[in-house]
Amino acid sequence: MNSKDIICIDRKSVYENRWMRVREDRIRRTSGATGIYGVVEKPDFVVIAPIHNGVIYLVEQYRYPVEARYWELPQGSWENNNDAEPHEVAAGELHEETGLCAQTLTYVGHLFLAYGFCTQGYHVFLATDISDAQVECERDQTEKDLVAKAFKIAEVEKMIVDGVIKDATTIAALSLIKQKGLLS
């Protein structure tokens, strides 16, 4: 499919807040058929896989849309600074969510969250050479209930298979890291 397979005839914003915008596009396909396409616009975020001495650090937090707590890799964005470099955001989010500092942040790649309806993508980082000491950090008010914990790599893989980890971003990021030979 190339960029001319669907043409936007008209575009209107139907909802907007500081985190996202929802728009409705009137479209025309190459067949001549017309319709609408709903698009969620959100800025990219980062996801960090902190791995040290055979363990992966995960965070658990309550996710309001699904009304449950789940384990996932540290991830986030700086909505007050969308121009920040992904590497800088990754270092900041790692420290904010886990209290860890990594000497090495390796850029692994970029993936899209759900490009069937959303513009948002994410940058995957592998954090290594981590200091052994976790430092208590000042979390954002929305993350006060966040829990950080180290798991053995095999345990995380079992958590994925068993459906304990349900975050597609975490699963995709770990898969990409493993496919690139960066996770044994």
Side-chain angles (χ1 to χ4, degrees):
M1 192 175 204
N2 65 44
S3 62
K4 300 197 190 260
D5 286 347
I6 298 177
I7 298 169
C8 179
I9 301 167
D10 187 42
R11 176 173 288 165
K12 70 177 178 177
S13 180
V14 294
Y15 175 78
E16 188 170 351
N17 64 31
R18 73 179 229 192
W19 299 281
M20 63 186 240
R21 182 173 90 156
V22 179
R23 68 173 207 253
E24 186 174 275
D25 294 354
R26 286 189 335 114
I27 60 157
R28 180 180 305 114
R29 299 181 183 278
T30 54
S31 67
T34 59
I36 62 167
Y37 214 108
V39 178
V40 176
E41 295 178 345
K42 290 189 75 165
D44 283 359
F45 64 99
V46 299
V47 59
I48 311 100
I51 300 176
H52 183 64
N53 291 336
V55 299
I56 300 175
Y57 290 85
L58 299 177
V59 295
E60 181 198 57
Q61 61 185 313
Y62 184 78
R63 292 301 192 177
Y64 176 76
V66 294
E67 299 179 340
R69 296 181 68 84
Y70 288 103
W71 289 103
E72 61 195 40
L73 289 172
Q75 53 194 277
S77 64
W78 290 351
E79 49 286 320
N80 294 331
N81 187 3
N82 285 329
D83 295 330
E85 290 296 319
H87 190 276
E88 179 185 1
V89 178
E93 286 294 318
L94 175 65
H95 181 70
E96 179 183 319
E97 293 191 3
T98 66
L100 298 171
C101 291
Q103 295 300 312
T104 306
L105 275 174
T106 303
Y107 185 76
V108 180
H110 181 270
L111 299 170
F112 284 105
L113 185 65
Y115 57 49
F117 71 90
C118 186
T119 62
Q120 188 173 43
Y122 54 97
H123 301 276
V124 179
F125 288 88
L126 173 63
T128 55
D129 301 323
I130 296 170
S131 64
D132 283 326
Q134 279 182 279
V135 179
E136 191 64 34
C137 48
E138 185 59 35
R139 291 196 175 112
D140 183 86
Q141 186 62 34
T142 61
E143 294 177 331
K144 293 285 186 190
D145 68 336
L146 189 138
V147 175
K149 183 178 173 186
F151 294 89
K152 292 184 181 202
I153 293 171
E155 186 178 359
V156 170
E157 290 172 338
K158 184 173 181 346
M159 291 166 74
I160 291 169
V161 170
D162 291 347
V164 174
I165 295 175
K166 295 180 175 272
D167 179 52
T169 299
T170 294
I171 296 168
L174 288 173
S175 176
L176 181 62
I177 290 167
K178 191 169 190 172
Q179 291 298 314
K180 288 194 172 191
L182 301 171
L183 177 65
S184 49

